[in-house]
Amino acid sequence: MSEKIAIRTDGAPAPAHTFSQGVRKGPFVQVSGQGPVDPETSEYLYPGDVAAQTTRTLENVLAIVEASGATFDDVVMLRVYLTKREDFGVMNDAYGDFVQKHTKGEVLPSRTTVFTGLPREEMLVEIDAVAIV
């Protein structure tokens, strides 16, 4: 059996609670849910701007994916959690721009979008990911 390894990077915010930024076991990488947080200051960014929050959140996801030794092309699944159904179109446009920019091949990651409450009131979006190296 392969060892389970915690992924850590200064390129994404430190976990606020008792979990790892990401975990790698064998070829599998699971990125914990990320939000629109500045990795240097731990401040939540872009209040009320779901597009900017989506991009910042995906930048945090990407930093953890890369810290694991994977690339964005290794991401097979992204889960997006939104607080408001009416933000879907704006999130989807920002998400699409980011994913197209960071995907080198023609196969885009799978995605699920869920509408839910999030841990912090200022969070409009949270995203986690699965990559296979």
Side-chain angles (χ1 to χ4, degrees), residues 2-3 23-30 68 70 74 76 130-133:
S2 59
E3 179 182 6
V23 174
R24 180 171 177 172
K25 184 166 173 74
F28 296 96
V29 176
Q30 174 67 59
S68 77
D74 296 317
V76 296
V130 176
I132 302 175
V133 183

Side-chain angles (χ1 to χ4, degrees), residues 45-107:
L45 302 174
Y46 314 115
D49 185 341
V50 74
Q53 284 196 10
T54 298
T55 300
R56 174 74 256 176
T57 299
L58 285 165
E59 288 168 352
N60 292 339
V61 168
L62 177 60
I64 297 166
V65 166
E66 290 178 342
S68 77
T71 70
F72 199 78
D73 279 322
D74 296 317
V75 174
V76 296
M77 180 64 175
L78 290 153
R79 280 179 292 266
V80 177
Y81 303 90
L82 281 177
T83 59
K84 299 177 193 168
R85 186 177 307 276
E86 57 269 20
D87 284 342
F88 180 81
V90 174
M91 176 284 298
N92 200 46
D93 289 344
Y95 172 95
D97 290 344
F98 187 93
V99 170
Q100 291 287 345
K101 179 180 176 185
H102 291 90
T103 300
K104 306 226 181 333
E106 293 182 21
V107 180

Side-chain angles (χ1 to χ4, degrees), residues 6-58:
I7 308 302
R8 295 183 181 92
T9 178
D10 292 336
H17 301 286
T18 54
F19 57 86
S20 299
Q21 289 173 314
V23 174
R24 180 171 177 172
K25 184 166 173 74
F28 296 96
V29 176
Q30 174 67 59
V31 176
S32 291
Q34 297 297 303
V37 178
D38 183 309
E40 293 182 21
T41 66
S42 296
E43 291 183 42
Y44 284 79
L45 302 174
Y46 314 115
D49 185 341
V50 74
Q53 284 196 10
T54 298
T55 300
R56 174 74 256 176
T57 299
L58 285 165

